[in-house]
Amino acid sequence: MPPMGGRFSATNVPLRLFIRAAWGMPDFRIIGGPPWQLSQRFDISAKLEDGFAGTIAEVYPMLQTLLVDRFKLKTH
């Protein structure tokens, strides 16, 4: 969903789907991770930078930062 009104919102989404979207990679390229990455679901409601009028693709780097910070995600 594209950002609207300066907000990014996602509801009931598994961690693995956030990872796929944020890094733009197919599922088969994601190796490892906790067993709950497909079963546990999360909500994200984030306020974007003031005046942000970009596309969803421009939100992905911010989503990457959030995942690294909150889940201590490591990529190689």
Side-chain angles (χ1 to χ4, degrees):
M1 164 191 305
M4 299 177 77
R7 300 200 63 79
F8 171 78
S9 183
T11 305
N12 200 30
V13 179
L15 174 62
R16 190 159 182 127
L17 186 56
F18 281 127
I19 294 169
R20 286 177 54 197
W23 276 273
M25 67 176 47
D27 196 56
F28 73 88
R29 300 233 14 229
I30 301 171
I31 300 170
W36 51 262
Q37 66 184 317
L38 287 169
S39 61
Q40 191 78 20
R41 303 201 173 246
F42 298 89
D43 299 339
I44 294 178
S45 179
K47 182 180 181 306
L48 302 172
E49 298 169 359
D50 287 338
F52 183 85
T55 65
I56 189 66
E58 293 172 292
V59 173
Y60 292 151
M62 293 180 250
L63 182 56
Q64 290 174 4
T65 301
L66 183 141
L67 294 171
V68 167
D69 182 54
R70 299 291 170 98
F71 291 97
K72 307 300 181 216
L73 184 67
K74 306 235 187 272
T75 60
H76 303 279

